[in-house]
Every structure is written in C-alpha cells, then in structure tokens.
Amino acid sequence: MYKAIHRFARISPRKVRLLADLVRGKTADEALNILRFQPQRGARMLEKVLRSAMANAEDQQASSVGQLILVDVRVDGGPSMKRLRPRARGAASIYLRRMSHITVVLY
C-alpha cells in the first residue's frame, strides 16, 4: 500500500471530488491519462498527488508501478479562511475560502 497526501490545497473539496470519482478504482496509468485531458485546475493537483504516490511506490521497489490500482482517492475538507466582503449600507458578509486534503492510496 503506497500513499501520498496533499494537505491544505487551496481549492474547494467539492471541485476535486468530481475528479476523484472519475479515477477511483482505475490503474495508475489509466488515471493519469484521464486526468491529463481534464481542463479543471483540480485535475492538475490530483495528478501531482498521484505521481507522488507512484514515486513512493517506485522508491519502495514495487513491481509494475503503472499497474497499481487506486483503491482510495479521498478529498476531505481542510480549514476555511474567513474573509469579509463589503455589502450595501456599510454591512459586511463573511465568505469562506475553502481548503482540501487530497489523499491517494495505491495498492
């Protein structure tokens, strides 16, 4: 079991989960191929984490790194930065800049 985590990624978990669902259960090579042709910014982040997990597998002498299967692709919510946006009549509203923890596990 080979693992890589990108913590505090500056993207909403909801946006990355759509991409995680695309590649869950696929082989590493197939997942890289799928992510390479996705236009979303989250695909680049997920691709980097997947490449890191593959490098970890290669470092631990795993045989046929490209044929490893993505058994767990998890995108959890991280902390949120609270920001203020000016509103009418001197009021302010709070909006959240969300973060993600992206986890990829190969087996």
Side-chain angles (χ1 to χ4, degrees):
M1 192 142 76
Y2 311 101
K3 184 172 166 181
I5 302 173
H6 180 187
R7 298 185 70 224
F8 306 104
R10 256 302 298 130
I11 191 167
S12 173
R14 184 176 175 179
K15 294 177 182 178
V16 187
R17 279 187 194 123
L18 295 170
L19 298 161
D21 293 340
L22 281 178
V23 296
R24 191 176 289 114
K26 305 269 193 299
T27 64
D29 285 340
E30 195 178 347
L32 279 177
N33 212 19
I34 290 169
L35 290 173
R36 190 174 296 128
F37 296 106
Q38 296 298 316
Q40 294 92 336
R41 186 171 67 100
R44 305 291 80 73
M45 293 182 176
L46 196 55
E47 187 179 350
K48 275 188 169 183
V49 179
L50 175 56
R51 286 186 189 278
S52 178
M54 290 172 71
N56 291 342
E58 191 176 322
D59 195 44
Q60 296 176 26
Q61 282 85 30
S63 61
S64 65
V65 174
Q67 298 307 311
L68 291 171
I69 295 174
L70 278 77
V71 291
D72 188 17
V73 182
R74 197 167 57 241
V75 183
D76 299 322
S80 298
M81 294 188 285
K82 281 104 181 148
R83 296 292 180 260
L84 293 175
R85 172 163 285 154
R87 300 306 293 248
R89 300 171 65 183
S93 65
I94 295 176
Y95 66 97
L96 301 175
R97 308 271 315 252
R98 297 182 188 276
M99 291 186 209
S100 306
H101 299 317
I102 305 169
T103 306
V104 173
V105 178
L106 300 171
Y107 188 72

